[in-house]
């Protein structure tokens, strides 16, 4: 996939790499799906040298492990698998044990944590010790989708590389190239839900959000006194949406409300802002909470429908 918006991060990274003293910890910040992970791997290879393809012995990557042995078998077979929700303290400690040895091929070693904002609290505290006293030749690249979830003490020890949002027109160009079978309705819904992230937009296209987008816009515009539109929304999402589908529905609802905020008159803004805040809370909770899928769909639909009711003219 093409990565847009990486020019400035690369300039900053390569200028530091060419300098006399490279900072030992970097925090790659930006929305999920803007390409921070591939950037980190490519940057780490530039840092440590050696082979440019395949696994590198001096690049350690900490990410979500499979949830259990069954899911691990799926991973080993190259199949989609369900992962744990957090990066654990055991993973961090195993990484720290490796740091007691010298790098294999050269003088440098890179540690990538993707995403660092999904570390368990104990894992974050353990990592902090390595950031405070980094072994010679060891450099950390922490990927963060939600930088505010990291400990302030971790953030303060890192140099931040910010990855910008991508314009809708650029994302649409990427979608047309990568998924030419997607119609305009689906692309526009995916772009709205992705909020500046090409990778997220590609994921959302696979979920077919076009019908959801139109139904959500109707709820905000018209309300739903007889629950008809909410019923159609539930059907469009499906009876048992997985976590990815639930997150996509929340993000799309946030985008619909944000668009309404930009297009509405001032008197309606407080209600829209309140709904947007509630959807942000749902978005933060959804990755770790076990929501009942049916109730979550109704919660989203009711928030949007209430906006439609409030925005109706007082005298028809």
């Amino acid at each position: 996939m093409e990565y847009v918006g990486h020019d400035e991060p690369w300039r900053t990274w390569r200028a530091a790499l060419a300098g006399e003293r490279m900072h030992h910890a970097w925090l790659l910040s930006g929305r999920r799906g803007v390409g921070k992970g591939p950037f980190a791997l490519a940057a780490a290879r530039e840092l440590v040298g050696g082979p440019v393809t395949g696994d590198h012995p001096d690049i350690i990557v900490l990410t979500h492990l499979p949830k259990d042995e069954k899911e691990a078998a799926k991973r080993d077979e190259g199949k989609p698998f369900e992962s744990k929700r957090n990066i654990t303290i055991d993973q961090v400690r195993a990484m720290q044990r490796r740091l007691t040895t010298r790098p294999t091929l050269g003088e440098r070693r890179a540690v990538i944590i993707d995403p660092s904002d999904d570390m368990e609290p104990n894992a974050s505290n353990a990592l902090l010790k390595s950031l405070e006293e980094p072994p010679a030749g060891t450099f950390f690249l922490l990927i963060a989708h939600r930088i505010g979830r990291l400990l302030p003490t971790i953030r303060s020890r890192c140099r931040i590389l910010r990855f910008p949002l991508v314009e809708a027109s650029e994302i649409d160009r990427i979608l047309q190239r990568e998924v030419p079978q997607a119609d305009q309705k689906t692309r526009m819904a995916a772009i709205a839900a992705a909020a500046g992230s090409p990778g997220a937009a590609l994921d959302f296209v696979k979920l077919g959000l076009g019908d959801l987008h139109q139904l959500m816009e109707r709820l905000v515009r018209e309300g739903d006194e007889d629950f008809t539109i909410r019923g159609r929304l539930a059907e469009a999402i499906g009876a048992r949406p997985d976590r990815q589908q639930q997150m996509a529905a929340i993000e799309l609802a946030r985008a619909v409300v944000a668009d309404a905020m930009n297009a509405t008159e001032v008197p309606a803004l407080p209600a829209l802002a309140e709904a947007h805040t509630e959807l942000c809370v749902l978005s933060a909770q959804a990755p770790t909470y076990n929501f009942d899928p049916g109730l979550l769909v109704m919660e989203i639909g009711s928030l949007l429908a209430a906006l439609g009711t409030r925005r109706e003219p007082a005298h028809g």
Side-chain angles (χ1 to χ4, degrees):
M1 190 181 105
E2 175 185 350
Y3 296 103
V4 180
H6 284 197
D7 290 348
E8 186 58 34
W10 273 122
R11 277 193 290 269
T12 301
W13 173 261
R14 285 170 176 156
L17 195 58
E20 293 183 1
R21 189 172 181 180
M22 181 79 166
H23 195 74
H24 75 281
W26 294 73
L27 182 55
L28 282 56
S29 174
R31 275 189 63 84
R32 184 187 302 272
V34 295
K36 302 186 299 300
F39 179 98
L41 282 169
R45 288 184 183 279
E46 288 194 0
L47 177 75
V48 302
V52 296
T53 59
D55 293 336
H56 195 296
D58 294 325
I59 298 177
I60 303 170
V61 180
L62 274 63
T63 191
H64 296 107
L65 295 175
K67 185 176 73 171
D68 51 33
E69 292 183 1
K70 179 180 178 182
E71 298 302 317
K74 292 180 182 178
R75 178 199 59 185
D76 296 342
E77 295 171 4
K79 298 178 180 178
F81 65 92
E82 187 175 351
S83 63
K84 294 181 178 179
R85 295 178 182 176
N86 299 108
I87 294 172
T88 68
I89 187 172
D90 289 340
Q91 290 175 265
V92 172
R93 286 174 173 164
M95 174 269 292
Q96 290 171 327
R97 286 193 292 272
R98 288 187 62 181
L99 299 188
T100 61
T101 63
R102 292 180 56 82
T104 302
L105 300 181
E107 298 298 320
R108 291 174 171 176
R109 174 187 281 130
V111 177
I112 299 171
I113 303 181
D114 182 13
S116 58
D117 42 319
D118 277 356
M119 286 188 293
E120 294 175 343
N122 288 341
S124 295
N125 289 323
L127 175 68
L128 184 58
K129 296 177 182 178
S130 294
L131 296 179
E132 290 171 340
E133 300 178 6
T138 296
F139 298 84
F140 296 87
L141 293 92
L142 311 185
I143 295 169
H145 309 315
R146 294 160 293 179
I147 192 171
R149 293 187 61 190
L150 285 172
L151 291 175
T153 44
I154 287 180
R155 298 200 302 267
S156 68
R157 284 164 174 76
C158 297
R159 182 172 178 182
I160 298 177
L161 274 183
R162 299 190 186 279
F163 288 72
L165 300 178
V166 178
E167 294 290 336
S169 58
E170 285 285 350
I171 297 178
D172 192 35
R173 183 174 62 82
I174 293 170
L175 293 181
Q176 290 186 56
R177 185 186 68 246
E178 299 292 334
V179 281
Q181 70 276 17
D183 59 27
Q184 185 178 20
K185 179 177 72 171
T186 299
R187 295 200 314 273
M188 292 304 101
I191 291 169
S197 167
L202 285 166
D203 289 340
F204 290 152
V205 162
K206 299 172 186 175
L207 298 175
L209 300 180
D211 291 338
L212 285 183
H213 193 212
Q214 291 187 336
L215 290 167
M216 288 179 178
E217 288 187 324
R218 282 190 61 191
L219 285 169
V220 172
R221 187 172 59 247
E222 304 170 16
D224 187 30
E225 290 187 1
D226 61 1
F227 281 79
T228 299
I229 304 176
R230 272 170 282 188
R232 291 179 59 189
L233 184 72
E235 291 176 2
I237 293 177
R240 298 180 62 84
D242 60 24
R243 194 173 300 277
Q244 184 183 21
Q245 292 169 315
Q246 294 174 35
M247 288 298 302
I250 296 170
E251 294 302 322
L252 184 56
R254 286 176 60 186
V256 168
V257 173
D259 286 344
M261 291 172 70
N262 293 330
T264 195
E265 297 178 358
V266 172
L269 285 177
L272 288 164
E274 180 182 347
H276 192 268
T277 298
E278 293 190 42
L279 289 166
C280 287
V281 171
L282 282 178
S283 179
Q285 294 173 340
T288 54
Y289 283 40
N290 287 318
F291 287 123
D292 178 274
L295 292 177
L296 178 63
V297 170
M298 291 306 298
E299 175 70 12
I300 295 170
S302 295
L303 281 171
L304 300 179
L307 294 173
T309 301
R310 294 181 193 182
R311 297 174 75 201
E312 290 177 353
H315 300 289

